[in-house]
Amino acid sequence: MKGVILEIAPEAQIIDISHAVQPFDILDGALIISQAYSYFPSGTVHMVIVDPGVGTTRRPVLMTGDRHLFVAPDNGVLSLIYDREERVSVRHITAEHYFLQPRSNTFHGRDIFSPVAAYLAKGVETSKFGEEITDYVRFGAPRPKPVDERTLRGVVLKVDRFGNLITNITPKDAPQLFGVDPPAFKIAIGTKAQATRICTNYAEGSPGEVFGILGSTGFLEVAANRGSANQLLGAGKGSEVNVVMEG
Amino acid sequence: MKGVILEIAPEAQIIDISHAVQPFDILDGALIISQAYSYFPSGTVHMVIVDPGVGTTRRPVLMTGDRHLFVAPDNGVLSLIYDREERVSVRHITAEHYFLQPRSNTFHGRDIFSPVAAYLAKGVETSKFGEEITDYVRFGAPRPKPVDERTLRGVVLKVDRFGNLITNITPKDAPQLFGVDPPAFKIAIGTKAQATRICTNYAEGSPGEVFGILGSTGFLEVAANRGSANQLLGAGKGSEVNVVMEG
Amino acid sequence: MKGVILEIAPEAQIIDISHAVQPFDILDGALIISQAYSYFPSGTVHMVIVDPGVGTTRRPVLMTGDRHLFVAPDNGVLSLIYDREERVSVRHITAEHYFLQPRSNTFHGRDIFSPVAAYLAKGVETSKFGEEITDYVRFGAPRPKPVDERTLRGVVLKVDRFGNLITNITPKDAPQLFGVDPPAFKIAIGTKAQATRICTNYAEGSPGEVFGILGSTGFLEVAANRGSANQLLGAGKGSEVNVVMEG
């Protein structure tokens, strides 16, 4: 894929954001790109490919946001970016003369997305690649829900490489947790232990303690200082999270 | 290695093709580079190092093909490229004044191949690095063979990260499989299941089905849609593949 | 992190040295950067971040050496570089106007180190980032010690991806091993086998033999040709190494 890009756009600077998305895990890919893209310079072209889903079932799309361009299969992997950008235009990429020839049925990253991204990086206008569409695939990220007056229920979106459990709960969902003098609360994942306070950095936790922390992604994480909350709690991706306000 | 390259050729653009070749697996390295190199711009210098094999036993070579340059140990890792290029010139790299000083016995990637690649990228002529040779190491890739009138026997060359089994069978070896209206056939790897049709993309397979597909590498693959053929068949690298024409 | 750098310094060339440092393993990070940095061009800015240790406990520092710049948390990860450079100046990075805004408590790599590295790459003077300090964290690497007249005791610093055991013993510590006609000796790690000679390249060892070799990092390694000393000896990082001179 990088060879194809450089053949067309020799001046392009290619940056790998992640090759660690699990195959088929579109939500994981959506999370990673939504947390990274805004830090890149204006005009950056992002290729966001989660395999498979190639072939007849997923048309290639080109999205223009406020400051960035994205090429991706139309499988929802850009959903969280549609949410964040003010101006969104999505085109179905149909201009086959920009594709690599001969084109395989199975490696669209190399044969479709790479050359299209390279021509975009060279300044070819987005309108040249296909018509605008409105029926693109867009899923809603799972949102936390109140269970009763005291309890908010969310889910673990992913486990990072330190074993921190990243939930889908933001400060907007549970503002009490992040105030200056928060009331007593418990964050329960699994049955082995509960977090009862919010730390402001990972090193603040006591050894063996699990605690809440506002992660760099804007979500509530449950973490352990120099340890793995993932292992300590026996919980992982998809685990239920209950935030219970006490008293 | 990248530091050495940039010290000599600050304008060089360095692209990682793969760091996932298994140690000592020269065939795997040969497959990877032979599938990737032709997509890079003319004049690209490819470093192809499969460890180990350094030391006295493997001389460093510089190969010039139709449009690309390659530096590698003379262990056969360029064999599949020798097959594909029309013009091939191979030189034994002996010009030690291009090597890093002091030079280690064990890290030729850093001390020999990186500086030579960097000087090539800067435009130093290939003839400056050593004499042409003809006795370089070149192995033949394993080729499928007919067992009887109905059966072609090949081998699994590698398993990709989705669990797809990449065989050494190409459309030239079994043209019937890839025609418009193929006769009945079975592709048997292991004893658990057999593929009985060719799909044109991964998403076309039914859940749990194993099927054949022409992969982006030009070889017949046995795959499963959103599943691992590797696990479904209990087969892997080196497994025997039998293509049996029925009726 | 790369997006932040390119937003500030679009001309910067970003090279990944390693993302394989174990979390919290500061010695491993210190070894990796100390073996790589000197091969990069003069003026290179090195970001050396071993997580975590962010937050209140580790101030960000900027080190200027003979030819290179380093940004890192003040957790000792630059210790082996302090040892090797003749001129060392260390500053506490306090100039918050160079940081990303808003700044998270947990992702200093993105919010502090990346923008500071980018401004350094653009030529902003080191004195702009904070005052010089002398009380930075600096640990001594574990050194081999004589046990008796015949025995030198060291430790395995790390295991590389081939299973080679990299010790903390250098030719200065045991010059007899590396002479032209060395006396009889044993290198013992674990109890399963002993190395009794030094090879000059990995391919020189016999099948199944463990042997000593001077690695490209300048340390004595215990290795096996096309095999894993790690597995053959049942030893790993932290294992005791005894070099015993015979007769």
Side-chain angles (χ1 to χ4, degrees), chain B residues 158-178:
Chain B
K158 69 181 291 180
V159 181
D160 74 14
R161 71 185 192 106
F162 300 107
N164 301 325
L165 303 169
I166 302 172
T167 77
N168 65 337
I169 298 170
T170 69
K172 272 192 193 166
D173 302 315
Q176 319 95 304
L177 298 193
F178 300 95

Side-chain angles (χ1 to χ4, degrees), chain A residues 120-133:
Chain A
L120 284 167
K122 282 185 78 170
V124 174
E125 286 186 25
T126 57
S127 60
K128 304 279 191 186
F129 293 93
E131 297 296 313
E132 242 183 301
I133 57 174

Side-chain angles (χ1 to χ4, degrees), chain A residues 52-58 105-106, chain B residues 177 180 182 196-214 223-227:
Chain A
V54 294
T56 52
T57 52
R58 299 298 180 192
N105 282 310
T106 54
Chain B
L177 298 193
V180 174
T196 57
R197 63 169 176 147
I198 302 291
C199 292
T200 55
N201 64 69
Y202 296 103
E204 195 181 323
S206 308
E209 180 192 3
V210 292
F211 53 86
I213 188 167
L214 180 60
N225 180 19
R226 301 174 69 92

Side-chain angles (χ1 to χ4, degrees), chain A residues 164-165 185 187 194-214 220-226 229 233:
Chain A
N164 300 326
L165 304 170
F185 63 86
I187 307 171
Q194 297 178 326
T196 56
R197 63 170 177 147
I198 301 292
C199 294
T200 54
N201 65 70
Y202 296 103
E204 195 182 324
S206 309
E209 180 191 3
V210 292
F211 53 86
I213 188 166
L214 180 60
L220 172 68
E221 298 178 14
V222 173
N225 180 20
R226 301 174 70 90
L233 297 179

Side-chain angles (χ1 to χ4, degrees), chain A residues 3 7 12 51 105-107 110, chain B residues 13 39-41 162 200-201 216:
Chain A
E7 174 82 26
D51 287 300
N105 282 310
T106 54
F107 195 177
R110 181 188 69 194
Chain B
Q13 189 159 18
Y39 294 96
F40 281 83
F162 300 107
T200 55
N201 64 69
S216 61

Side-chain angles (χ1 to χ4, degrees), chain C residues 15-29:
Chain C
I15 299 289
D16 296 290
I17 293 180
S18 174
H19 292 282
V21 177
Q22 290 300 307
F24 326 127
D25 191 341
I26 292 169
L27 177 58
D28 190 34

Side-chain angles (χ1 to χ4, degrees), chain C residues 39-188:
Chain C
Y39 294 97
F40 281 82
S42 291
T44 299
V45 182
H46 299 272
M47 292 180 60
V48 191
I49 304 173
V50 179
D51 286 301
V54 293
T56 53
T57 53
R58 300 298 181 191
R59 57 191 173 178
V61 294
L62 158 58
M63 175 200 161
T64 312
D66 300 335
R67 296 167 49 232
H68 298 89
L69 297 163
F70 302 82
V71 292
D74 186 26
N75 60 9
V77 76
L78 300 178
S79 293
L80 305 184
I81 297 173
Y82 300 147
D83 291 347
R84 288 180 52 166
E85 297 284 284
E86 304 217 339
R87 287 174 299 147
V88 168
S89 152
V90 180
R91 291 174 186 277
H92 179 192
I93 301 171
T94 52
E96 301 201 0
H97 54 282
Y98 290 114
F99 300 174
L100 204 65
Q101 300 299 344
R103 169 161 55 108
S104 74
N105 283 310
T106 55
F107 195 176
H108 289 183
R110 182 189 69 195
D111 300 343
I112 297 179
F113 293 112
S114 290
V116 167
Y119 286 114
L120 285 167
K122 281 185 77 170
V124 175
E125 288 187 23
T126 57
S127 60
K128 304 279 191 187
F129 294 92
E131 297 295 314
E132 242 184 300
I133 56 173
T134 54
D135 62 339
Y136 49 86
V137 174
R138 178 176 184 164
F139 59 75
R143 303 280 308 131
K145 289 178 186 161
V147 178
D148 57 36
E149 285 186 359
R150 292 182 167 185
T151 308
L152 182 73
R153 181 167 297 162
V155 69
V156 174
L157 291 177
K158 70 182 290 181
V159 180
D160 73 16
R161 72 185 191 106
F162 301 107
N164 301 325
L165 304 170
I166 301 172
T167 77
N168 66 337
I169 298 171
T170 69
K172 271 192 193 166
D173 300 316
Q176 317 96 306
L177 297 193
F178 299 96
V180 174
D181 190 15
F185 63 86
K186 287 179 181 169
I187 307 171

